Amino acid sequence: MPHALITGANRGLGLEHTRQLLERGWTISAACRDPQGAEELKALDPDDGRLRLFAYDASDLTAAATLAKSVSEPIDLLFANAGMMSPQTRGFGSAASESMIDELRVNTVAPLALVEAFVDQVEASEMKVIALQSSRMGSIADNDSGGGYGYRSSKAALNAIGKSLSIDLAPRGVSVLILHPGWVKTRMGGQNGLLTVEESVSAQLDLIARAYQTDAMSGRFFHVSGEDLPW
Ligand SMILES: NC(=O)c1ccc[n+]([C@@H]2O[C@H](COP(=O)([O-])OP(=O)(O)OC[C@H]3O[C@@H](n4cnc5c(N)ncnc54)[C@H](OP(=O)(O)O)[C@@H]3O)[C@@H](O)[C@H]2O)c1
């Protein structure tokens, strides 16, 4: 059965990815900051060894390499999902701050560190898919409302990383998907979100299944609806 490593697996989209993939029979390495306190995640445990919890704090750039010492099997789907949005970096005036560095560290540099730590295991798997949980807010062409200095720039830079990874890892047979999950009802998305986590995740998993069938999706920036988003 396939194996996925998912970051930010304790709530929101990461938790739902874990739930739906467990339901489909996958084995999940679920990484989160506080595995002890991850009650909703632990409640998903089918008690057959397919759910393993690991401590992972994306703000520590050595965390991915440390995690790689504990997870040694092939990884069919590496999902860099953990992310943050800092209210301090939203408006013009005091956005240039340590909070913006925190956002860049967690949303941009950590996913690259994760891929660097686990690429051999992805390459050794059957599916060989890397998914980056980006955001439409990272689209420069789509920015018609301004603001969001920290979050927008962190996701735009993540997109640039995803594109380079798709080129650098193509000879190794690895596909890199850059995904916008839609506006989803989570702690980050808020209750006005247009999609439930169930809807967003099942559509994301459909895109991921398609990426396994074709190389043509690697290095593209997808809305969860399947449409290409402009950079
Ligand atoms: N919801 C939306 O509408 C939307 C739209 C576009 C993109 N996204 C992206 O989707 C991803 C998941 O967000 P969500 O909507 O599910 O929001 P969420 O419910 O707020 O979940 C965020 C997840 O990221 C984790 N995280 C934050 N900082 C971390 C760190 N330093 N180390 C490890 N984990 C950390 C959180 O863990 P803790 O519980 O430990 O904080 C949590 O598991 C993010 O990358 C976000 O940018 C969401």
Side-chain angles (χ1 to χ4, degrees):
M1 267 300 164
H3 170 218
L5 191 159
I6 302 171
T7 65
N10 59 306
R11 62 181 162 96
L13 289 161
L15 179 70
E16 181 63 15
H17 273 290
T18 303
R19 192 186 70 74
Q20 291 196 20
L21 287 173
L22 281 172
E23 218 169 70
R24 296 176 191 200
W26 285 50
T27 296
I28 308 295
S29 294
C32 60
R33 281 198 275 206
D34 176 20
Q36 287 288 77
E39 297 305 336
E40 285 182 276
L41 179 58
K42 287 195 282 191
L44 298 180
D45 194 347
D47 261 338
D48 56 6
R50 287 189 299 117
L51 177 64
R52 305 126 183 213
L53 272 56
F54 297 96
Y56 167 80
D57 183 340
S59 65
D60 171 2
L61 296 183
T62 66
T66 304
L67 184 58
K69 291 181 188 149
S70 307
V71 182
S72 56
E73 316 85 317
I75 297 172
D76 294 275
L77 170 62
L78 179 66
F79 209 129
N81 165 74
M84 62 177 286
M85 182 190 273
S86 168
Q88 286 90 331
T89 66
R90 200 167 288 161
F92 176 75
S94 56
S97 60
E98 286 302 320
S99 299
M100 186 158 167
I101 303 294
D102 291 342
E103 263 171 325
L104 289 165
R105 195 182 279 271
V106 170
N107 294 351
T108 314
V109 189
L112 178 58
L114 196 74
V115 176
E116 289 181 330
F118 285 103
V119 66
D120 291 345
Q121 284 156 258
V122 174
E123 186 182 6
S125 76
E126 172 72 27
M127 283 182 61
K128 307 185 195 353
V129 177
I130 292 171
L132 304 177
Q133 196 72 281
S134 183
S135 169
R136 187 176 196 160
M137 297 268 293
S139 168
I140 294 169
D142 192 58
N143 181 356
D144 54 13
S145 55
Y149 291 90
Y151 189 72
R152 282 189 190 281
S153 56
S154 70
K155 295 292 189 180
L158 177 64
N159 290 353
I161 285 170
K163 180 71 191 182
S164 281
L165 286 173
S166 73
I167 295 166
D168 293 341
L169 303 183
R172 301 171 72 170
V174 174
S175 288
V176 181
L177 281 186
I178 304 164
L179 299 174
H180 168 60
W183 182 17
V184 191
K185 293 182 211 289
T186 62
R187 200 180 298 176
M188 185 187 289
Q191 278 319 299
N192 292 329
L194 300 175
L195 297 177
T196 63
V197 282
E198 291 85 356
E199 290 164 339
S200 172
V201 166
S202 86
Q204 286 199 318
L205 291 177
D206 286 348
L207 284 175
I208 288 165
R210 275 172 48 200
Y212 170 44
Q213 311 292 342
T214 169
D215 294 341
M217 291 170 73
S218 191
R220 284 162 59 188
F221 180 23
F222 286 104
H223 192 285
V224 70
S225 65
E227 285 161 37
D228 284 276
L229 283 166
W231 301 113

